[in-house]
Amino acid sequence: MELKNKRIVITGAGSGIGKETVLQVLKHEGVKILACDLNEKNILEHPSVIPYKCDVSKKENLDKLLKDADKKLGGIDIFYANAGFAYYEVIENADWDRIDRIYSTNVFSPLYTLISLNHTRKEPFLFVVTASAMSHLALPGYAQYSSTKAAVRSFIDAYRFELKPGNRVMVVYPIATRTKFFDSAGKKVPVPFPSQTAETVAKKVVKGILSDSKEVYPSFLFRFIQVLDRFLFFILPVYQKIEASKLDSLKK
């Protein structure tokens, strides 16, 4: 897929991977971007970028976003569901509202958007969603976050076969990305090793779009470890124990 003259919606566009993706996409001629974020003041100022305030955890907001995208862009060629957040925590009690909050943003929102697009769009579209390396490897401290990303990955794996002709999905699996993401996850949150920059991820996202990729793994090291673990099956469990030792500090 070429990016020239494409109409693109990006959520979580005010910071991190979303903001860097906006910058990378703007390198292509004629693009129009509806950049969505909880705080539209964080969105890049550019003639081709339309700032849009939106809490994607609410069904009514997503319905309005899709309608407004048609009005402001004239349609949607690419929808990048990037908005999401994490908790870094020792789960001390059952908190329904806390679970509902992270699932509404990280799971319900992309699933609902993709299903809506698939059943309402007459023109073909590409749906891009940020999952996480943690959808393959759940880490201690990120139990709820890891589960949301695993849910997205599992849904996409099956729902691909229900997409109408011409509609496509691309899933992005970043490793720990050095952004404000970890600052919002909790106090004194350790950034897991290895890590990468948001710019690196954004460049790989754009490259994946241009090459019609189904999956994008911005970290070669993570993919290599995944393959290696098939033969040396103790690698990933050892890594989980190392991360668990970091979590122990929260218990003290």
Side-chain angles (χ1 to χ4, degrees), residues 64-98:
K64 185 175 186 301
L65 169 59
L66 295 179
K67 289 181 181 179
D68 287 346
D70 287 333
K71 294 177 183 177
K72 296 175 183 294
L73 299 177
I76 301 173
D77 297 307
I78 302 172
F79 192 106
Y80 185 8
N82 171 69
F85 70 94
Y87 300 133
Y88 183 75
E89 61 184 353
V90 175
I91 301 175
E92 297 179 343
N93 54 61
D95 187 332
W96 183 280
D97 291 337
R98 191 171 176 82

Side-chain angles (χ1 to χ4, degrees), residues 147-197:
S147 72
T148 64
K149 295 306 182 180
V152 170
R153 173 181 170 239
S154 181
F155 176 82
I156 298 297
D157 281 348
Y159 194 68
R160 287 185 191 278
F161 298 95
E162 299 185 42
L163 293 175
K164 294 180 180 179
N167 296 339
R168 298 186 297 110
V169 179
M170 185 178 86
V171 186
V172 185
Y173 297 101
I175 58 172
T177 307
R178 298 188 292 276
T179 67
K180 294 180 180 179
F181 175 88
F182 289 99
D183 294 335
S184 63
K187 296 180 180 178
K188 298 180 180 179
V189 178
V191 178
F193 173 85
S195 63
Q196 59 192 177
T197 65

Side-chain angles (χ1 to χ4, degrees), residues 55-68:
D55 178 357
V56 298
S57 68
K58 309 292 184 183
K59 171 189 177 298
E60 57 271 21
N61 292 351
L62 289 171
D63 290 336
K64 185 175 186 301
L65 169 59
L66 295 179
K67 289 181 181 179
D68 287 346

Side-chain angles (χ1 to χ4, degrees), residues 167-229:
N167 296 339
R168 298 186 297 110
V169 179
M170 185 178 86
V171 186
V172 185
Y173 297 101
I175 58 172
T177 307
R178 298 188 292 276
T179 67
K180 294 180 180 179
F181 175 88
F182 289 99
D183 294 335
S184 63
K187 296 180 180 178
K188 298 180 180 179
V189 178
V191 178
F193 173 85
S195 63
Q196 59 192 177
T197 65
E199 181 182 4
T200 297
V201 178
K203 286 181 177 179
K204 291 295 180 68
V205 168
V206 171
K207 183 177 179 180
I209 292 172
L210 296 175
S211 60
D212 295 331
S213 300
K214 290 183 178 181
E215 297 179 319
V216 171
Y217 289 87
S219 170
F220 173 78
L221 178 58
F222 178 74
R223 286 298 277 168
F224 176 74
I225 292 173
Q226 276 188 302
V227 173
L228 192 62
D229 187 65

Side-chain angles (χ1 to χ4, degrees), residues 93-119:
N93 54 61
D95 187 332
W96 183 280
D97 291 337
R98 191 171 176 82
I99 296 170
D100 182 74
R101 179 170 174 259
I102 194 168
Y103 266 79
S104 292
T105 301
N106 291 12
V107 183
F108 301 164
S109 174
L111 268 59
Y112 179 81
T113 303
L114 175 55
I115 295 170
S116 295
L117 289 170
N118 192 44
H119 286 283

